[in-house]
Amino acid sequence: DLFACMSVVGMSHIRKVPWEDAPKPPAPKPRAPKLHHQLHEALAAGNEPIARELLARGANPNVATLRGLTMEYVVSGSVSLEMGRALVAAGFDLTKRWQGYTALQRAIGFDMVDAVRVQIELGASPTYEDGFRRSPLALAACRGALKCVDFFLGLGADTKEIKAAIRHAERRLAKPAVPIEPRELRQRREALAR
């Protein structure tokens, strides 16, 4: 083994090997954070001028992070409706889903009627169906979001949509919310009943 020989005898009488003269690889350059991460940080902090600058520099508003979609900062009230319009103008897709739901559908799920109104004003479709083919009205009825149901009925839903919403609400009410009992408690209860 050449390495063992060099360590015992030394390198003074052995010819240099090619890898000893090889240049050192350059140190990796530090990576700049991606623009969409910076955009999410600016929106979370409510810093609209920086968010607008990042959009002008080419930040993609459609990239979701662990926090969600960029439009959810508008929905939550971290930034203004004007920033939402800037996101839409920069190319935000109002039909983009994160964890299976659009920002409009997520707002409906939490019965946030103001956020729903903002999304509709920005151009979200009040008839866009979710993954289970439920309209926003039916989704609101299924989730028990009464404020959103009133809002969508005020928009002038057709009878087909209203009937579907009623069916979803009936299914929701037909399934009682029974908590799952742990096995140990069930076994104790059954033992006491004997």
Side-chain angles (χ1 to χ4, degrees):
D1 182 314
L2 180 61
F3 182 74
C5 178
M6 288 188 308
S7 63
V8 173
V9 178
M11 294 216 16
S12 61
H13 69 285
I14 299 178
R15 172 178 66 172
K16 285 192 172 191
V17 290
W19 58 81
E20 291 176 349
D21 293 331
K24 301 278 185 209
K29 293 180 182 178
R31 284 181 154 183
K34 296 184 179 176
L35 289 179
H36 63 270
H37 287 299
Q38 293 175 348
L39 177 63
H40 277 272
E41 292 294 325
L43 291 172
N47 196 335
E48 293 184 24
I50 290 180
R52 290 179 194 278
E53 176 65 28
L54 289 168
L55 287 173
R57 289 176 58 197
N60 186 354
N62 288 313
V63 177
T65 62
L66 294 176
R67 294 180 180 173
L69 299 169
T70 53
M71 187 56 69
E72 294 195 28
Y73 298 107
V74 177
V75 170
S76 67
S78 298
V79 292
S80 69
L81 177 61
E82 291 302 317
M83 188 67 224
R85 287 191 177 99
L87 287 169
V88 171
F92 181 77
D93 182 13
L94 289 166
T95 61
K96 181 159 178 62
R97 297 174 189 263
W98 182 69
Q99 294 182 343
Y101 294 100
T102 64
L104 175 69
Q105 294 162 350
R106 293 174 72 77
I108 290 170
F110 293 112
D111 202 13
M112 300 169 64
V113 73
D114 293 332
V116 169
R117 188 175 295 116
V118 166
Q119 298 258 350
I120 300 286
E121 287 177 15
L122 289 174
S125 172
T127 59
Y128 185 71
E129 296 178 342
D130 67 355
F132 297 103
R133 300 187 50 91
R134 295 179 292 198
S135 68
L137 175 61
L139 177 64
C142 180
R143 294 288 179 99
L146 298 179
K147 295 176 191 173
C148 289
V149 168
D150 289 340
F151 175 75
F152 284 113
L153 288 174
L155 289 179
D158 62 354
T159 56
K160 180 182 172 186
E161 233 182 324
I162 293 172
K163 287 179 183 178
I166 292 170
R167 276 196 315 272
H168 284 290
E170 287 173 346
R171 284 187 206 141
R172 180 180 185 274
L173 294 173
K175 296 178 185 176
V178 178
I180 298 173
E181 186 176 33
R183 182 186 310 173
E184 296 136 2
L185 290 176
R186 187 178 66 238
Q187 288 173 348
R188 254 192 235 159
R189 184 176 47 80
E190 289 171 355
L192 290 173
R194 291 182 199 165

